[in-house]
Amino acid sequence: DYAMSVIVSRALPDVRDGLKPVHRRILYAMWQLGLRPGAKYRKSATVVGEVLGKYHPHSDIAVYDAMVRMAQDFAMRYPLVDGQGNFGSMDGDSAAAMRYTEAKLARISDALLTDLDKNTIDFAPNYDNTQKEPRVLPALLPNLLLNGTVGIAVGMATNIPPHNLTELINGIVHLIDEPEATVDDLMKFITGPDFPTGGIIYNREDIKAAYATGKGSIVMRAKSEIVEEKTGAFRILITEMPYQVNKSELISHIAELVTEKKLDGIRDLRDESDKDGVRVVVELKKDAYPKKVLNRLFQMTQLQQTFHVNMLALVDGIQPRVLTLKMVLEEYVKHRREVIRRRTQYELDVAKARDHILKGLLIALAHIDEIIRTIKKSRDKDEAKVNLIKRFKLSDLQAVAILEMRLQQLANLERLKIEQEHDEKVKLIKELEAILSSPKRITGVVRKE
């Protein structure tokens, strides 16, 4: 029971929105607090308090750490939280305390939460049954592959690399058009992972194996170049790091290797990184062979790293499965179809309800003198409602709407507006019913969006 609780409720992401429960709760709490992309920043402590109090009865440090990671552009390919203040660095510096930092939703998170209020997903009671929280987000974007994830459960773990948004969207559109597409076909669009810190990936065959089976190893290297100085000496410039490498520790490790005489040919080592990006300079001795030194650096340090892909995620919110690239995309498209179907049904119900009221108002406008006489003869509002329902065969809602009509709605221009709105609603209802009756039309909406 404990193992399944960790697997389902803590450590593994859902294939549909790519989020673990804590991340989903943070985004939902921020959405509920009104911290939309256009809003003002609020203290991180406000968000953490909201999440702890309503949805996630665990440690405040766990919630804040999860939120911090969602704001780090070197940890997330597309950060979901827009943070203001010190949110840490790739040198391993920790973020400032939650009372100092501020946050709101990043613009891309809007796409994960869009249509949440249109009955597109199921809600479940929170831990003390006082609130409702979403089981999954509508997720207009394929977030599982977009930002990737790392998770260690009991007896299983997941490690999914991040990807490029444009490549993913093109791959999904191709899969919708060609449901029989193979991994080779999809790799024409999704060429490989796209790490936030840059770097270079080696060996397409490794990527293909990982995509085809859901498991594999991908070799990452720092982006480096050998530069010749005016004096004739060489230096190695490192401008992009492999994913999840601590730059400060890496430089310390290189310095240790030089001190212990395990690495020859290095004269000086400097970290010139600033707000514009990474820049590590390795000055070489005059008699050193630059390529040989660089290869030794790749061999002995984290300038070359292996990313062990394990695409394990929850299917239908409960079943952990290792998924291939195609299976992840299929599950995502399936989820979007269901979201579009439920949203269309919701919009249809709203349109029908409004049209029902408009029909009542049109009946009233067509018999306005008689309506006024009926209301005048009635003792009170309740009797007027009963009399209107009897006399004009109206529904309860229509009668209430007529009784609440304002005098200005009797003007010709207002009548025209009501007629025009009724025509628009009839047209919209036909359109929504056509979408609902055709799975192909629903898939078309998924593709377009």
Side-chain angles (χ1 to χ4, degrees), residues 70 72-73 76-81 106 108 143 146-147 162-166 194 196:
M70 286 200 287
Q72 292 174 334
D73 59 2
M76 302 283 275
R77 179 64 185 82
Y78 299 92
L80 300 176
V81 171
I108 204 157
N143 185 55
L146 197 65
N147 273 315
H163 290 77
N164 181 278
L165 175 60
T166 307
D194 185 10

PDB file of all heavy atoms in Angstrom, residues 70 72-73 76-81 106 108 143 146-147 162-166 194 196:
ATOM      1  N   MET A  70      10.502  24.658 -10.648  1.00  0.00           N
ATOM      2  CA  MET A  70       9.643  25.048 -11.773  1.00  0.00           C
ATOM      3  C   MET A  70       9.948  26.460 -12.279  1.00  0.00           C
ATOM      4  O   MET A  70       9.482  26.859 -13.344  1.00  0.00           O
ATOM      5  CB  MET A  70       8.172  24.961 -11.367  1.00  0.00           C
ATOM      6  CG  MET A  70       7.668  23.536 -11.270  1.00  0.00           C
ATOM      7  SD  MET A  70       5.869  23.427 -11.375  1.00  0.00           S
ATOM      8  CE  MET A  70       5.388  24.043  -9.800  1.00  0.00           C
ATOM      9  N   GLN A  72      13.274  27.576 -12.405  1.00  0.00           N
ATOM     10  CA  GLN A  72      14.687  27.625 -12.815  1.00  0.00           C
ATOM     11  C   GLN A  72      14.849  27.345 -14.305  1.00  0.00           C
ATOM     12  O   GLN A  72      14.499  26.254 -14.769  1.00  0.00           O
ATOM     13  CB  GLN A  72      15.495  26.607 -12.000  1.00  0.00           C
ATOM     14  CG  GLN A  72      15.599  26.959 -10.524  1.00  0.00           C
ATOM     15  CD  GLN A  72      16.265  25.875  -9.705  1.00  0.00           C
ATOM     16  OE1 GLN A  72      16.235  24.696 -10.060  1.00  0.00           O
ATOM     17  NE2 GLN A  72      16.877  26.261  -8.592  1.00  0.00           N
ATOM     18  N   ASP A  73      15.393  28.301 -15.044  1.00  0.00           N
ATOM     19  CA  ASP A  73      15.538  28.107 -16.488  1.00  0.00           C
ATOM     20  C   ASP A  73      16.661  27.140 -16.847  1.00  0.00           C
ATOM     21  O   ASP A  73      16.764  26.710 -17.992  1.00  0.00           O
ATOM     22  CB  ASP A  73      15.723  29.450 -17.215  1.00  0.00           C
ATOM     23  CG  ASP A  73      16.943  30.216 -16.718  1.00  0.00           C
ATOM     24  OD1 ASP A  73      17.667  29.694 -15.842  1.00  0.00           O
ATOM     25  OD2 ASP A  73      17.176  31.336 -17.212  1.00  0.00           O
ATOM     26  N   MET A  76      14.415  23.599 -15.972  1.00  0.00           N
ATOM     27  CA  MET A  76      13.238  23.354 -16.819  1.00  0.00           C
ATOM     28  C   MET A  76      13.465  23.956 -18.198  1.00  0.00           C
ATOM     29  O   MET A  76      13.893  25.105 -18.311  1.00  0.00           O
ATOM     30  CB  MET A  76      11.997  24.010 -16.202  1.00  0.00           C
ATOM     31  CG  MET A  76      11.659  23.555 -14.804  1.00  0.00           C
ATOM     32  SD  MET A  76      10.871  21.948 -14.771  1.00  0.00           S
ATOM     33  CE  MET A  76       9.181  22.387 -15.034  1.00  0.00           C
ATOM     34  N   ARG A  77      13.132  23.185 -19.231  1.00  0.00           N
ATOM     35  CA  ARG A  77      13.277  23.718 -20.596  1.00  0.00           C
ATOM     36  C   ARG A  77      12.334  24.899 -20.800  1.00  0.00           C
ATOM     37  O   ARG A  77      12.673  25.880 -21.437  1.00  0.00           O
ATOM     38  CB  ARG A  77      12.986  22.600 -21.600  1.00  0.00           C
ATOM     39  CG  ARG A  77      13.080  23.018 -23.080  1.00  0.00           C
ATOM     40  CD  ARG A  77      14.486  23.419 -23.432  1.00  0.00           C
ATOM     41  NE  ARG A  77      14.580  23.923 -24.803  1.00  0.00           N
ATOM     42  CZ  ARG A  77      14.288  25.154 -25.167  1.00  0.00           C
ATOM     43  NH1 ARG A  77      13.827  26.022 -24.274  1.00  0.00           N
ATOM     44  NH2 ARG A  77      14.451  25.537 -26.421  1.00  0.00           N
ATOM     45  N   TYR A  78      11.127  24.794 -20.247  1.00  0.00           N
ATOM     46  CA  TYR A  78      10.146  25.890 -20.294  1.00  0.00           C
ATOM     47  C   TYR A  78       9.612  26.086 -18.874  1.00  0.00           C
ATOM     48  O   TYR A  78       8.665  25.393 -18.479  1.00  0.00           O
ATOM     49  CB  TYR A  78       8.998  25.555 -21.258  1.00  0.00           C
ATOM     50  CG  TYR A  78       9.449  25.349 -22.683  1.00  0.00           C
ATOM     51  CD1 TYR A  78       9.770  24.077 -23.150  1.00  0.00           C
ATOM     52  CD2 TYR A  78       9.584  26.424 -23.558  1.00  0.00           C
ATOM     53  CE1 TYR A  78      10.207  23.881 -24.457  1.00  0.00           C
ATOM     54  CE2 TYR A  78      10.020  26.240 -24.866  1.00  0.00           C
ATOM     55  CZ  TYR A  78      10.328  24.966 -25.310  1.00  0.00           C
ATOM     56  OH  TYR A  78      10.771  24.778 -26.597  1.00  0.00           O
ATOM     57  N   PRO A  79      10.226  26.976 -18.077  1.00  0.00           N
ATOM     58  CA  PRO A  79       9.790  27.148 -16.684  1.00  0.00           C
ATOM     59  C   PRO A  79       8.293  27.443 -16.583  1.00  0.00           C
ATOM     60  O   PRO A  79       7.756  28.234 -17.361  1.00  0.00           O
ATOM     61  CB  PRO A  79      10.629  28.336 -16.194  1.00  0.00           C
ATOM     62  CG  PRO A  79      11.842  28.309 -17.060  1.00  0.00           C
ATOM     63  CD  PRO A  79      11.370  27.849 -18.413  1.00  0.00           C
ATOM     64  N   LEU A  80       7.628  26.790 -15.623  1.00  0.00           N
ATOM     65  CA  LEU A  80       6.181  26.933 -15.457  1.00  0.00           C
ATOM     66  C   LEU A  80       5.834  28.025 -14.457  1.00  0.00           C
ATOM     67  O   LEU A  80       4.690  28.460 -14.375  1.00  0.00           O
ATOM     68  CB  LEU A  80       5.577  25.602 -14.995  1.00  0.00           C
ATOM     69  CG  LEU A  80       5.786  24.415 -15.947  1.00  0.00           C
ATOM     70  CD1 LEU A  80       5.232  23.132 -15.348  1.00  0.00           C
ATOM     71  CD2 LEU A  80       5.146  24.681 -17.305  1.00  0.00           C
ATOM     72  N   VAL A  81       6.826  28.446 -13.666  1.00  0.00           N
ATOM     73  CA  VAL A  81       6.624  29.514 -12.684  1.00  0.00           C
ATOM     74  C   VAL A  81       7.541  30.677 -13.036  1.00  0.00           C
ATOM     75  O   VAL A  81       8.710  30.477 -13.376  1.00  0.00           O
ATOM     76  CB  VAL A  81       6.919  29.006 -11.252  1.00  0.00           C
ATOM     77  CG1 VAL A  81       6.943  30.143 -10.247  1.00  0.00           C
ATOM     78  CG2 VAL A  81       5.893  27.962 -10.838  1.00  0.00           C
ATOM     79  N   ALA A 106       3.969  31.369 -15.090  1.00  0.00           N
ATOM     80  CA  ALA A 106       4.607  31.739 -16.360  1.00  0.00           C
ATOM     81  C   ALA A 106       3.549  31.683 -17.459  1.00  0.00           C
ATOM     82  O   ALA A 106       2.535  30.985 -17.316  1.00  0.00           O
ATOM     83  CB  ALA A 106       5.748  30.779 -16.668  1.00  0.00           C
ATOM     84  N   ILE A 108       3.473  30.162 -20.198  1.00  0.00           N
ATOM     85  CA  ILE A 108       3.259  28.816 -20.765  1.00  0.00           C
ATOM     86  C   ILE A 108       2.336  27.977 -19.881  1.00  0.00           C
ATOM     87  O   ILE A 108       1.643  27.086 -20.361  1.00  0.00           O
ATOM     88  CB  ILE A 108       4.615  28.117 -21.021  1.00  0.00           C
ATOM     89  CG1 ILE A 108       4.453  27.046 -22.101  1.00  0.00           C
ATOM     90  CG2 ILE A 108       5.225  27.551 -19.752  1.00  0.00           C
ATOM     91  CD1 ILE A 108       5.737  26.691 -22.808  1.00  0.00           C
ATOM     92  N   ASN A 143       3.247  18.394 -21.819  1.00  0.00           N
ATOM     93  CA  ASN A 143       4.240  18.799 -20.817  1.00  0.00           C
ATOM     94  C   ASN A 143       5.199  17.690 -20.385  1.00  0.00           C
ATOM     95  O   ASN A 143       6.325  17.959 -19.984  1.00  0.00           O
ATOM     96  CB  ASN A 143       3.517  19.385 -19.600  1.00  0.00           C
ATOM     97  CG  ASN A 143       4.486  19.942 -18.585  1.00  0.00           C
ATOM     98  OD1 ASN A 143       5.321  20.791 -18.908  1.00  0.00           O
ATOM     99  ND2 ASN A 143       4.434  19.446 -17.375  1.00  0.00           N
ATOM    100  N   LEU A 146       7.788  17.883 -22.864  1.00  0.00           N
ATOM    101  CA  LEU A 146       8.236  19.266 -22.997  1.00  0.00           C
ATOM    102  C   LEU A 146       9.286  19.610 -21.942  1.00  0.00           C
ATOM    103  O   LEU A 146      10.357  20.118 -22.249  1.00  0.00           O
ATOM    104  CB  LEU A 146       7.034  20.189 -22.859  1.00  0.00           C
ATOM    105  CG  LEU A 146       7.189  21.618 -23.359  1.00  0.00           C
ATOM    106  CD1 LEU A 146       7.400  21.622 -24.854  1.00  0.00           C
ATOM    107  CD2 LEU A 146       5.957  22.427 -23.007  1.00  0.00           C
ATOM    108  N   ASN A 147       8.981  19.309 -20.680  1.00  0.00           N
ATOM    109  CA  ASN A 147       9.893  19.642 -19.584  1.00  0.00           C
ATOM    110  C   ASN A 147      10.602  18.441 -18.986  1.00  0.00           C
ATOM    111  O   ASN A 147      11.531  18.598 -18.196  1.00  0.00           O
ATOM    112  CB  ASN A 147       9.126  20.384 -18.477  1.00  0.00           C
ATOM    113  CG  ASN A 147       9.084  21.877 -18.753  1.00  0.00           C
ATOM    114  OD1 ASN A 147      10.086  22.481 -19.117  1.00  0.00           O
ATOM    115  ND2 ASN A 147       7.916  22.465 -18.607  1.00  0.00           N
ATOM    116  N   PRO A 162      13.839  16.648 -21.372  1.00  0.00           N
ATOM    117  CA  PRO A 162      12.983  17.687 -21.960  1.00  0.00           C
ATOM    118  C   PRO A 162      13.160  17.768 -23.478  1.00  0.00           C
ATOM    119  O   PRO A 162      14.157  17.285 -24.011  1.00  0.00           O
ATOM    120  CB  PRO A 162      13.476  18.967 -21.285  1.00  0.00           C
ATOM    121  CG  PRO A 162      14.851  18.671 -20.815  1.00  0.00           C
ATOM    122  CD  PRO A 162      14.992  17.202 -20.652  1.00  0.00           C
ATOM    123  N   HIS A 163      12.175  18.371 -24.144  1.00  0.00           N
ATOM    124  CA  HIS A 163      12.202  18.468 -25.616  1.00  0.00           C
ATOM    125  C   HIS A 163      11.812  19.867 -26.075  1.00  0.00           C
ATOM    126  O   HIS A 163      11.305  20.675 -25.304  1.00  0.00           O
ATOM    127  CB  HIS A 163      11.233  17.451 -26.228  1.00  0.00           C
ATOM    128  CG  HIS A 163      11.685  16.029 -26.077  1.00  0.00           C
ATOM    129  ND1 HIS A 163      11.578  15.343 -24.890  1.00  0.00           N
ATOM    130  CD2 HIS A 163      12.256  15.175 -26.966  1.00  0.00           C
ATOM    131  CE1 HIS A 163      12.066  14.115 -25.049  1.00  0.00           C
ATOM    132  NE2 HIS A 163      12.470  13.990 -26.292  1.00  0.00           N
ATOM    133  N   ASN A 164      12.017  20.094 -27.368  1.00  0.00           N
ATOM    134  CA  ASN A 164      11.691  21.384 -27.979  1.00  0.00           C
ATOM    135  C   ASN A 164      10.203  21.447 -28.323  1.00  0.00           C
ATOM    136  O   ASN A 164       9.646  20.505 -28.893  1.00  0.00           O
ATOM    137  CB  ASN A 164      12.539  21.567 -29.238  1.00  0.00           C
ATOM    138  CG  ASN A 164      12.277  22.890 -29.910  1.00  0.00           C
ATOM    139  OD1 ASN A 164      11.323  23.028 -30.657  1.00  0.00           O
ATOM    140  ND2 ASN A 164      13.108  23.865 -29.643  1.00  0.00           N
ATOM    141  N   LEU A 165       9.568  22.571 -27.989  1.00  0.00           N
ATOM    142  CA  LEU A 165       8.116  22.725 -28.180  1.00  0.00           C
ATOM    143  C   LEU A 165       7.714  22.586 -29.654  1.00  0.00           C
ATOM    144  O   LEU A 165       6.807  21.826 -29.987  1.00  0.00           O
ATOM    145  CB  LEU A 165       7.677  24.091 -27.634  1.00  0.00           C
ATOM    146  CG  LEU A 165       6.224  24.482 -27.852  1.00  0.00           C
ATOM    147  CD1 LEU A 165       5.282  23.487 -27.206  1.00  0.00           C
ATOM    148  CD2 LEU A 165       5.932  25.870 -27.305  1.00  0.00           C
ATOM    149  N   THR A 166       8.405  23.295 -30.530  1.00  0.00           N
ATOM    150  CA  THR A 166       8.050  23.264 -31.960  1.00  0.00           C
ATOM    151  C   THR A 166       8.155  21.851 -32.525  1.00  0.00           C
ATOM    152  O   THR A 166       7.270  21.388 -33.249  1.00  0.00           O
ATOM    153  CB  THR A 166       8.963  24.219 -32.759  1.00  0.00           C
ATOM    154  OG1 THR A 166       8.915  25.506 -32.145  1.00  0.00           O
ATOM    155  CG2 THR A 166       8.521  24.339 -34.205  1.00  0.00           C
ATOM    156  N   ASP A 194      16.014  18.211 -25.931  1.00  0.00           N
ATOM    157  CA  ASP A 194      16.496  19.594 -26.045  1.00  0.00           C
ATOM    158  C   ASP A 194      16.699  20.107 -24.619  1.00  0.00           C
ATOM    159  O   ASP A 194      15.748  20.514 -23.965  1.00  0.00           O
ATOM    160  CB  ASP A 194      15.457  20.431 -26.795  1.00  0.00           C
ATOM    161  CG  ASP A 194      15.933  21.842 -27.054  1.00  0.00           C
ATOM    162  OD1 ASP A 194      17.126  22.107 -26.830  1.00  0.00           O
ATOM    163  OD2 ASP A 194      15.117  22.688 -27.472  1.00  0.00           O
ATOM    164  N   PRO A 196      17.795  22.330 -21.367  1.00  0.00           N
ATOM    165  CA  PRO A 196      17.787  23.782 -21.113  1.00  0.00           C
ATOM    166  C   PRO A 196      19.180  24.396 -21.044  1.00  0.00           C
ATOM    167  O   PRO A 196      19.352  25.577 -21.330  1.00  0.00           O
ATOM    168  CB  PRO A 196      17.068  23.918 -19.772  1.00  0.00           C
ATOM    169  CG  PRO A 196      17.063  22.561 -19.166  1.00  0.00           C
ATOM    170  CD  PRO A 196      17.128  21.589 -20.282  1.00  0.00           C
TER     171      PRO A 196
END
